[in-house]
Every structure is written in structure tokens, then in C-alpha cells.
């Protein structure tokens, strides 16, 4: 169940109510006349089944209420309402599988922004990956994978392609490229300092590393793992179930590859630089393609589910919004 709150200019309130009144999946519709001060107008509230949230948001966007007012849609963790339960049960689909595209797009914008915090996490993760390679520790590699924030930007690429958001596409690409570039450069400088101090030697980089050799040795499974992990990650982001994200973070060799690029470059081990760079490109490409394909599939499926709503019960007042 989701709770909808609309701060509406007085002139737009009737259009908002018309978009909500009688729509299957909407319950507990209420209007507080004159409750809004900025803009001067009303507050409209309702409970919305997650399955039709995208349809409701599209209908409200068509009214133009968001230009001067505000539309908020938030999850309701605990609720008791027989009308709400009836509305959910009568709506086709499952709430845990439903995709609220407005929420997905907003999250994509938030997690693909290149900020100081994003760059810091990326840099720290890459430094940790470099240390993991020196000591040949799979535990530290996993820690670096979990710490890396790059999946949000990768998922944003798929969202941008499916929802046709050019600005989001440029934003995601910029964040990925600059984020990895900054992290690799800082890790490279740190590796040069460690080399000069004698903390790390050439043998540490070129010696036998059974626990971390996979980082610079991409193969066909690198692409397969990237595809599977990205598909699972996107499903976790778009559904009401987010438990799969931790598995994604420890499955894809992106940050460890970046760490090895920096470390190997500091010692001039160019075969490892090329291998790690290829590993990074293969994994990012697989994740981007799989994320786009998964989102496109979900959009197609939910378009069909939405089409199953009886037109006569979508709005008792008449035709489509």
C-alpha cells in the first residue's frame, strides 16, 4: 500500500480528484479544502495500491498539478483498511512485483549523482581493493565490492534508456567514468607512495596470487556473472523486495579490477593493467545491457497487466485520463 498526498492549487483540485475518483486500486480519497498555503489551494490524499501507482502518477502528471504543487507517494509499512485491502485484491498483479516508475527514476537520479560522497566511497573501495591484491585476500576483495557505489550509476543507464531520459543517461555515464577515473588516479598515487616506502614490491604484484588472480583474467563467465548480477540487482531496485542487492555487490569484479589497474600501473605490469581494464569493461558492459533488458521486460509486462484493468472500473466518471 502507498499513500498519496497532493498539494494542489485550487484551480487544479477538481482535475486531481477527477483523476483519482473511482479509479480501481484507489481508496480512502479525501480532500482538505483551503489547507494549502503555498501554493494557495487544497490537499488531496488517498491510498493507492502499488500495482497502479505508475498509472496514477501518469494521470496526475497529465493534470499539470506538479508544475505549481507537489505530488508525494510514500510506502505505508503498517495499515488496517478493509477498503484498501479490497482495492489491492481487485487490482491485477502482485504488489511486490509492481514497478513504480516514478520511484525508480527518482532513485536513479539520486544514486547516479557525482558527489563528494560518491567519489569518496569509490576511492576508498578502490584503495581497499589494491590492498586486497597485495595481501591476496578474498575477504578484503569482497569488502571492496560491497563498499563500491557504482551499481546505482550502472542501473541509471538502463532506466535512462527504457524511460528515454537523455539527461539521466549522460549523468550516469559521467558519474561512472569520472568516478572510476578519480579512484584509479588516487589509488595509483597511493601505490607509488607505497612502492617508494618499500611497503609494496614488484613481487607482491607479479607473484603467485591464487585468491585474487581472477581480477586480471576475464573470461566468458565474467560477462555471464555481470548479466545475472545486474538482472538481480535491477529486480531488487524496482520491486518491494530489496534483499538481493548485497549479493549483487559481491558478485561483480568492477572495483577490484580498478584497484588492480592502479596497482599494476604503478609497477609497470602492463599485462595486468590490460587484463584488469578488460575485466572492468566486460563487467560494466554486461551490467548495463542486462539492466536495460530487465527494465524493458518489466515495463512490457506491466504494460500488459495495466491493460487488464477494466476500463469501466478505472474511472467511474468516464474515459481515460
Amino acid at each position: 500500500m502507498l499513500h498519496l498526498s497532493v498539494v494542489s492549487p485550487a484551480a487544479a483540485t477538481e482535475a486531481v480528484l477527477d483523476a483519482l475518483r473511482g479509479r480501481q486500486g484507489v481508496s480512502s480519497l479525501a480532500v482538505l479544502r483551503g489547507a494549502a498555503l503555498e501554493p494557495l489551494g487544497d490537499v488531496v490524499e488517498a491510498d493507492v495500491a502499488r500495482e497502479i501507482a505508475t498509472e496514477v502518477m501518469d494521470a496526475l502528471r497529465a493534470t499539470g498539478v506538479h508544475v505549481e504543487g507537489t505530488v508525494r507517494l510514500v510506502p505505508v509499512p503498517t495499515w488496517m483498511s478493509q477498503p484498501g485491502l479490497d482495492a489491492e485484491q481487485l487490482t491485477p498483479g502482485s504488489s511486490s512485483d509492481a514497478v513504480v516508475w516514478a520511484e525508480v527514476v527518482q532513485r536513479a537520479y539520486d544514486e547516479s549523482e557525482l558527489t563528494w560522497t560518491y567519489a569518496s566511497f569509490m576511492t576508498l573501495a578502490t584503495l581497499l581493493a589494491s590492498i586486497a591484491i597485495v595481501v591476496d585476500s578474498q575477504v578484503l576483495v569482497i569488502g571492496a565490492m560491497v563498499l563500491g557505489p557504482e551499481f546505482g550509476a550502472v542501473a541509471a543507464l538502463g532506466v535512462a534508456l527504457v524511460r528515454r531520459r537523455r539527461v539521466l543517461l549522460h549523468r550516469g555515464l559521467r558519474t561512472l567514468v569520472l568516478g572510476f577515473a578519480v579512484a584509479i588516479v588516487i589509488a595509483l598515487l597511493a601505490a607509488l607512495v607505497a612502492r617508494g616506502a618499500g611497503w609494496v614490491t614488484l613481487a607482491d604484484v607479479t607473484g603467485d596470487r591464487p585468491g585474487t588472480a581472477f581480477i586480471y583474467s576475464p573470461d566468458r563467465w565474467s560477462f555471464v556473472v555481470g548479466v545475472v548480477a545486474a538482472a538481480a540487482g535491477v529486480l531488487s531496485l524496482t520491486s518491494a523486495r530489496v534483499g538481493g542487492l548485497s549479493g549483487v555487490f559481491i558478485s561483480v569484479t568492477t572495483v577490484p579490477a580498478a584497484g588492480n589497474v592502479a596497482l599494476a600501473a604503478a609497477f609497470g605490469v602492463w599485462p595486468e593493467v590490460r587484463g584488469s581494464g578488460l575485466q572492468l569493461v566486460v563487467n560494466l558492459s554486461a551490467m548495463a545491457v542486462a539492466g536495460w533488458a530487465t527494465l524493458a521486460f518489466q515495463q512490457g509486462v506491466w504494460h500488459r497487466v495495466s491493460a487488464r484493468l477494466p476500463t469501466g472500473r478505472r474511472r467511474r466518471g468516464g474515459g481515460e485520463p
Side-chain angles (χ1 to χ4, degrees):
M1 174 70 71
L2 302 173
H3 183 71
L4 174 71
S5 178
V6 182
V7 177
S8 172
T13 299
E14 289 306 316
V16 170
L17 291 174
D18 190 46
L20 299 173
R21 189 182 290 118
R23 184 182 293 272
Q24 182 171 327
V26 175
S27 61
S28 303
L29 179 61
V31 57
L32 305 176
R33 300 286 183 183
L37 299 180
E38 293 183 6
L40 192 62
D42 311 309
V43 175
V44 178
E45 296 189 344
D47 292 330
V48 178
R50 185 180 174 91
E51 295 90 324
I52 66 155
T54 294
E55 183 183 353
V56 167
M57 294 295 283
D58 289 343
L60 292 174
R61 177 181 291 274
T63 69
V65 66
H66 62 289
V67 177
E68 296 183 32
T70 302
V71 179
R72 291 190 297 270
L73 196 62
V74 296
V76 181
T78 305
W79 54 276
M80 292 189 298
S81 171
Q82 188 60 48
L85 181 60
D86 293 340
E88 278 200 339
Q89 292 179 337
L90 289 172
T91 306
S94 169
S95 61
S96 62
D97 293 334
V99 180
V100 183
W101 286 108
E103 177 185 48
V104 173
V105 171
Q106 182 64 54
R107 186 169 182 179
Y109 272 104
D110 291 342
E111 297 191 1
S112 63
E113 183 179 5
L114 182 58
T115 63
W116 168 256
T117 301
Y118 180 96
S120 299
F121 273 114
M122 182 66 78
T123 300
L124 293 172
T126 305
L127 288 171
L128 186 60
S130 298
I131 297 172
I133 292 164
V134 171
V135 300
D136 195 34
S137 170
Q138 291 185 349
V139 174
L140 290 181
V141 169
I142 293 173
M145 289 177 171
V146 174
L147 188 60
E150 76 282 3
F151 182 74
V154 174
L157 301 181
V159 175
L161 292 173
V162 172
R163 304 301 289 181
R164 300 179 182 178
R165 303 294 180 95
R166 182 176 299 179
V167 173
L168 180 59
L169 180 63
H170 291 167
R171 181 176 178 144
L173 287 172
R174 176 174 175 269
T175 297
L176 276 176
V177 172
L178 293 181
F180 273 109
V182 169
I184 289 173
V185 168
I186 294 177
L188 171 60
L189 294 175
L192 289 173
V193 171
R195 177 183 179 181
W199 286 18
V200 183
T201 65
L202 180 62
D204 293 324
V205 180
T206 59
D208 187 28
R209 291 170 15 211
T212 56
F214 70 93
I215 293 173
Y216 59 87
S217 305
D219 55 21
R220 57 192 174 189
W221 293 109
S222 301
F223 186 85
V224 173
V225 169
V227 168
V228 174
V234 166
L235 286 174
S236 295
L237 288 175
T238 57
S239 72
R241 303 175 181 178
V242 296
L245 278 178
S246 58
V248 174
F249 297 150
I250 62 175
S251 300
V252 187
T253 313
T254 51
V255 168
N260 202 49
V261 167
L263 185 64
F267 285 86
V269 186
W270 304 116
E272 285 199 19
V273 172
R274 288 191 293 270
S276 300
L278 181 59
Q279 180 80 275
L280 179 61
V281 171
V282 166
N283 276 275
L284 289 177
S285 300
M287 292 170 70
V289 171
W292 164 79
T294 303
L295 288 164
F297 175 78
Q298 287 182 288
Q299 180 170 257
V301 168
W302 272 101
H303 180 73
R304 294 189 193 69
V305 170
S306 179
R308 289 167 51 194
L309 286 169
T311 55
R313 299 183 64 177
R314 285 188 182 184
R315 297 175 65 193
R316 295 190 189 102
E320 295 295 324

